Amino acid sequence: MHSAVFLIEFGAIILGLGLLGRLAGRFRFSPIPLYLLAGLAFGKGGLLPLGASEEFVAIGAEIGVILLLLMLGLEYTASDLVSNLKTQYPAGLVDFTLNALPGAAAALLLGWGPVGAVVLAGVTWISSSGVIAKVLGDLGRLGNRETPVILSILVLEDLAMAVYLPIITALLAGVGLAAGSATLAIALGVAGAVLFVAVRYGRLISRFVSSDDPEKLLLVVLGLTLLVAGVAQQLQVSAAVGAFLVGIALSGEVAEGAHALLSPLRDLFAAVFFVFFGLHTDPASIPPVILPAFALAVVTALTKIATGYWAARRAGIGVKGRWRAGGTLVARGEFSIVIAGLAVSAGVQPQLGPFATAYVLVLVVIGPLTARFTEPVAAYVSRLRTPASPVDAPASEAARGADVPAAGPEARDTESAPDRV
């Protein structure tokens, strides 16, 4: 009987997620807020709380986080990461300063203490790679000149998670300075060792994992990822970081094949993860925090736009591309929920979960809109502030067509083909 109830509940969850995904696809926005709302509806204090399938959903949610990070790692090679660290680290520092500090300040103002400040700093700092990648594809901007700048910032944020997650795990566990330092040292050592092996021996690893049989490739990559994630967690390093490093170590045809095979599994278990987070958030706890969450969302949307604008300007991108880069970075999603989920599981500050849910719901909806409309809105405001007279019109048009002075045609940002590579 228990088995039948479990199958009914879990089948209903998967079917509901599929229908919600279809609805989101029809209106061309991320399904993440719908998944969170579904979790709120069927969790504690919701319309119809689940019982039989909750434990399995919890395991599926953990696998979802691991697959999200693995797939993210597959997008990059170790050499790409090293190159990004060397050339784009100033943008990463600006990103951290402008977006982590507002979250930390908000937590302190709300009386959540230093640990809450570190947690909320991470929630507001990290953009959603999944949502942003989908938005870039939907808008046809994968070939735009500002897109490498956006991806570089996302890569730096992902790498920063290899340091941040062990720190936050140690803080939430309440360990002392010595134990926390040891955890961080282990995390950095493991990350550094994996990057070294990936750069030096990545081809050998990929050759070992490679298989012409899709079934064998799927089993080997998935098994290796879960194994490394478990070992990482046993060493007090985040399982998510372990999965991310496995993705980095794989390259070439193996990475492409694994990406194609694992994408459906990633989508399934990631959806379960967002539902799981919603299941553990009482809907009645959201209204008291919705106003401060909305205010913080507005502030950090503006700081992300400023981050993207600054980074694109530093890379020699034209004004229009700068605004597009900033608007694209606004969305928060999976990482913010992962960080908040760690705090909720540790029992630190009960309002963090509802606050993070409301915050992500706002920005995951606003993010695709800012990606689409930040540049035209900025252009419209600019025209209002500096109206061109009929005599100066040709000169003004010429100025608008050359956003980057004397930097060569490749750095020029126009509305036509030269904006792509």
Side-chain angles (χ1 to χ4, degrees):
M1 181 63 182
H2 182 273
S3 176
V5 174
F6 161 75
L7 291 174
I8 291 171
E9 283 191 0
F10 193 66
I13 291 173
I14 301 302
L15 176 61
L17 292 177
L19 295 176
L20 291 174
R22 277 190 182 183
L23 178 64
R26 176 166 297 182
F27 292 97
R28 301 184 68 183
F29 67 90
S30 170
I32 291 176
L34 297 183
Y35 295 158
L36 288 172
L37 290 174
L40 291 172
F42 295 100
K44 300 175 182 177
L47 301 174
L48 186 63
L50 300 177
S53 61
E54 185 172 356
E55 185 176 350
F56 186 82
V57 169
I59 296 172
E62 191 166 353
I63 295 174
V65 175
I66 290 170
L67 291 178
L68 278 170
L69 272 294
L70 168 67
M71 300 297 283
L72 197 60
L74 289 173
E75 297 289 339
Y76 315 111
T77 65
S79 57
D80 289 338
L81 293 177
V82 173
S83 175
N84 277 318
L85 280 175
K86 290 179 178 178
T87 60
Q88 299 293 341
Y89 72 90
L93 294 175
V94 170
D95 182 33
F96 170 78
T97 302
L98 292 182
N99 298 288
L101 293 184
L108 294 175
L109 289 174
L110 291 168
W112 292 352
V115 175
V118 176
V119 172
L120 196 57
V123 170
T124 60
W125 174 19
I126 306 298
S127 297
S128 171
S129 300
V131 174
I132 290 171
K134 180 172 176 54
V135 167
L136 288 173
D138 290 344
L139 297 179
R141 294 182 182 173
L142 292 174
N144 279 27
R145 287 195 51 78
E146 74 271 6
T147 298
V149 175
I150 296 170
L151 295 179
S152 295
I153 292 174
L154 295 178
V155 170
L156 289 169
E157 289 180 349
D158 298 336
L159 284 176
M161 287 295 97
V163 178
Y164 175 83
L165 288 177
I167 292 175
I168 197 65
T169 302
L171 287 174
L172 293 173
V175 300
L177 179 61
S181 301
T183 299
L184 179 58
I186 291 172
L188 292 176
V190 170
V194 171
L195 284 176
F196 174 79
V197 171
V199 171
R200 188 65 64 90
Y201 306 107
R203 291 183 179 178
L204 293 177
I205 296 173
S206 297
R207 192 179 304 167
F208 169 76
V209 173
S210 178
S211 174
D212 293 332
D213 188 336
E215 178 185 350
K216 294 183 178 64
L217 179 62
L218 172 64
L219 292 174
V220 170
V221 173
L222 183 58
L224 178 64
T225 301
L226 294 175
L227 177 63
V228 172
V231 171
Q233 191 158 311
Q234 192 69 23
L235 293 173
Q236 303 302 314
V237 181
S238 169
V241 171
F244 178 65
L245 294 174
V246 170
I248 292 172
L250 302 178
S251 60
E253 294 182 1
V254 172
E256 294 176 5
H259 193 283
L261 291 170
L262 288 168
S263 289
L265 280 178
R266 185 271 315 271
D267 294 339
L268 169 63
F269 285 105
V272 171
F273 165 71
F274 291 116
V275 170
F276 175 75
F277 187 83
L279 288 174
H280 286 74
T281 302
D282 187 350
S285 62
I286 291 182
V289 298
I290 189 66
L291 288 180
F294 182 80
L296 184 61
V298 171
V299 170
T300 52
L302 295 175
T303 55
K304 274 292 181 183
I305 291 173
T307 298
Y309 187 97
W310 185 89
R313 179 181 180 182
R314 179 176 177 271
I317 307 300
V319 173
K320 295 177 182 179
R322 298 172 198 172
W323 286 115
R324 287 195 295 268
T328 304
L329 287 169
V330 166
R332 309 314 199 270
E334 59 274 10
F335 259 135
S336 299
I337 297 297
V338 168
I339 295 166
L342 292 174
V344 171
S345 300
V348 176
Q349 186 47 247
Q351 286 187 311
L352 259 172
F355 189 96
T357 301
Y359 176 82
V360 169
L361 282 172
V362 171
L363 286 182
V364 84
V365 172
I366 291 178
L369 298 178
T370 59
R372 187 186 297 264
F373 296 114
T374 297
E375 184 264 316
V377 168
Y380 176 75
V381 172
S382 178
R383 287 195 297 269
L384 289 180
R385 293 178 60 185
T386 56
S389 64
V391 176
D392 296 333
S396 299
E397 290 297 325
R400 280 202 296 272
D403 286 320
V404 183
E410 71 278 5
R412 192 170 296 137
D413 183 71
T414 67
E415 297 183 25
S416 56
D419 193 37
R420 298 179 180 275
V421 292

